[in-house]
C-alpha cells in the first residue's frame, strides 16, 4: 500500500486514518450516494467536508483529485493490485465500490447491465433535471418573471417520475426485490426534490405513489439515515 501523502489533496485534508478509504464530499444528493453506499457496506472510511461556502471545490488541492471540481471524490488506499486509486463521478464510484465489495450490483451479466442502465438513467436524467427544477423553484431562478424555464424542467421531472413510477409497479426496488446501487443513486434525488427543493407540489408528487412508497422504505434504512448526514 503506497502512502496517501503522494496525493496533493492530503495537504489540505490530511488523512488521520490513511489506511481507510478517503471520502471528499458534502451532503448533497450526489455526495450522499457515496456516504450511503459506504455505510451500507460497513467499509472503514474517513470523510472530509468540501465546503461550497468557501469554494473548497475550486482549490488546487481538490482539483488535483477532480479536475471537474465536483463532489464526491474518493481515494481508496487499497485499490486494485493494492495500489491507491483516486476516483471522481458518483456513478463510477458506486460501481467501483459495488465491484470491490461484491454487493449491491448483481453478478449475473444481464441483471448487472440492467442495474447499470438504471444508474445511468439517474445520472443522465433525474439528477440534472431535478437540479434544474431546484434552481428555478428555490434558488436564483425563482426571481425570474418568465416561468417557462421552470415549467419546462418541472414537466421533464414529472415525465421522469412517471418512468420511475411505472418501473416500480409491483417491485420492492428498482431491480425488483434486490436493493442496488440504482436505488442508492436515485432516491437521494427524489428526497431532495420534495424536501430541500420544495418542489413536490410543482411536479405533482402525489401522482406517483410507487415512488413515494419506495422512497419511504429507502429513508428508513439505518445506513441511509447515517449517510444522509455525512460529512457532518
Amino acid at each position: 500500500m503506497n502512502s496517501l501523502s503522494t496525493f496533493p489533496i492530503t495537504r489540505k485534508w490530511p488523512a488521520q486514518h490513511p489506511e481507510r478509504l478517503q471520502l471528499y464530499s458534502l451532503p448533497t444528493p450526489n455526495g450522499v450516494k457515496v456516504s450511503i453506499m459506504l455505510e451500507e457496506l460497513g467499509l472503514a472510511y474517513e470523510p472530509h467536508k468540501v465546503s461550497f461556502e468557501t469554494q473548497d471545490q475550486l482549490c488546487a488541492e481538490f482539483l488535483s483529485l477532480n479536475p471537474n471540481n465536483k463532489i464526491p471524490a474518493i481515494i481508496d488506499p487499497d485499490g486494485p493490485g493494492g495500489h491507491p486509486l483516486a476516483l471522481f463521478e458518483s456513478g463510477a464510484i458506486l460501481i467501483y465500490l459495488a465491484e470491490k465489495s461484491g454487493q449491491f450490483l448483481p453478478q449475473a451479466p444481464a441483471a448487472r447491465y440492467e442495474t447499470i442502465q438504471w444508474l445511468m438513467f439517474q445520472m443522465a436524467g433525474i439528477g440534472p433535471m431535478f437540479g434544474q427544477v431546484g434552481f428555478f423553484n428555490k434558488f436564483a431562478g425563482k426571481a425570474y418573471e418568465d416561468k417557462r424555464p421552470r415549467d419546462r424542467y418541472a414537466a421533464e421531472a414529472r415525465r421522469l417520475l412517471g418512468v420511475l413510477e411505472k418501473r416500480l409497479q409491483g417491485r420492492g426496488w428498482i431491480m425488483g426485490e434486490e436493493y442496488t446501487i440504482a436505488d442508492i443513486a436515485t432516491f437521494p434525488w427524489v428526497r431532495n426534490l420534495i424536501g430541500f427543493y420544495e418542489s413536490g407540489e410543482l411536479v405533482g408528487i402525489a401522482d406517483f405513489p410507487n415512488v413515494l412508497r419506495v422512497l419511504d422504505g429507502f429513508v428508513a434504512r439505518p445506513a441511509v439515515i447515517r449517510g444522509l448526514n455525512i460529512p457532518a
Side-chain angles (χ1 to χ4, degrees), residues 18 32 41 54 68 74 80 89 131 146 155 164 175 178 180 188 203 207 220:
V32 300
L41 293 172
T54 54
N68 195 35
I74 66 167
E89 283 296 332
D146 186 348
L164 188 58
M175 286 300 296
E178 185 174 356
T180 69
V203 300
D207 295 332

Side-chain angles (χ1 to χ4, degrees), residues 76-98:
D76 184 359
D78 186 24
H83 300 291
L85 175 67
L87 279 178
F88 61 88
E89 283 296 332
S90 58
I93 296 170
L94 288 179
I95 293 171
Y96 169 71
L97 292 173

Side-chain angles (χ1 to χ4, degrees), residues 2-232:
N2 295 338
S3 172
L4 291 182
S5 63
T6 59
F7 291 88
I9 196 168
T10 61
R11 293 198 291 267
K12 184 173 178 66
W13 290 278
Q16 302 300 312
H17 303 279
E19 75 284 359
R20 300 180 185 177
L21 186 145
Q22 305 292 305
L23 169 65
Y24 307 89
S25 190
L26 198 65
T28 68
N30 280 333
V32 300
K33 294 177 194 175
V34 177
S35 54
I36 289 170
M37 180 67 166
L38 290 166
E39 289 292 326
E40 292 279 10
L41 293 172
L43 290 179
Y45 69 100
E46 182 176 350
H48 304 276
K49 183 178 180 180
V50 179
S51 174
F52 290 170
E53 293 180 359
T54 54
Q55 295 191 319
D56 286 348
Q57 75 276 19
L58 299 178
C59 72
E61 292 86 354
F62 188 78
L63 291 172
S64 71
L65 185 62
N66 183 359
N68 195 35
N69 67 269
K70 303 292 184 182
I71 59 96
I74 66 167
I75 302 173
D76 184 359
D78 186 24
H83 300 291
L85 175 67
L87 279 178
F88 61 88
E89 283 296 332
S90 58
I93 296 170
L94 288 179
I95 293 171
Y96 169 71
L97 292 173
E99 293 186 336
K100 177 184 176 75
S101 65
Q103 298 184 60
F104 305 122
L105 182 61
Q107 297 297 308
R112 179 179 183 274
Y113 284 113
E114 190 176 356
T115 304
I116 293 173
Q117 164 189 271
W118 284 100
L119 172 64
M120 294 302 107
F121 171 75
Q122 184 281 305
M123 299 291 293
I126 283 180
M129 293 302 104
F130 287 15
Q132 293 289 354
V133 172
F135 172 80
F136 283 103
N137 192 53
K138 181 169 182 176
F139 297 108
K142 69 182 179 181
Y144 297 175
E145 292 185 13
D146 186 348
K147 298 305 178 186
R148 286 175 296 178
R150 184 203 66 177
D151 292 345
R152 176 186 186 277
Y153 288 115
E156 178 62 5
R158 182 175 171 83
R159 187 190 71 81
L160 292 166
L161 286 166
V163 174
L164 188 58
E165 174 74 12
K166 185 176 180 180
R167 174 66 180 182
L168 292 171
Q169 180 70 42
R171 296 173 183 267
W173 300 103
I174 290 173
M175 286 300 296
E177 295 311 306
E178 185 174 356
Y179 175 76
T180 69
I181 56 174
D183 304 295
I184 293 171
T186 300
F187 287 99
W189 276 102
V190 177
R191 173 181 177 269
N192 220 59
L193 179 71
I194 300 169
F196 185 68
Y197 289 160
E198 302 170 356
S199 300
E201 184 176 352
L202 178 65
V203 300
I205 194 65
D207 295 332
F208 306 102
N210 289 309
V211 173
L212 292 173
R213 168 181 56 81
V214 179
L215 174 63
D216 285 345
F218 178 75
V219 298
R221 293 177 69 90
V224 172
I225 293 170
R226 295 191 301 270
L228 285 171
N229 295 301
I230 296 172

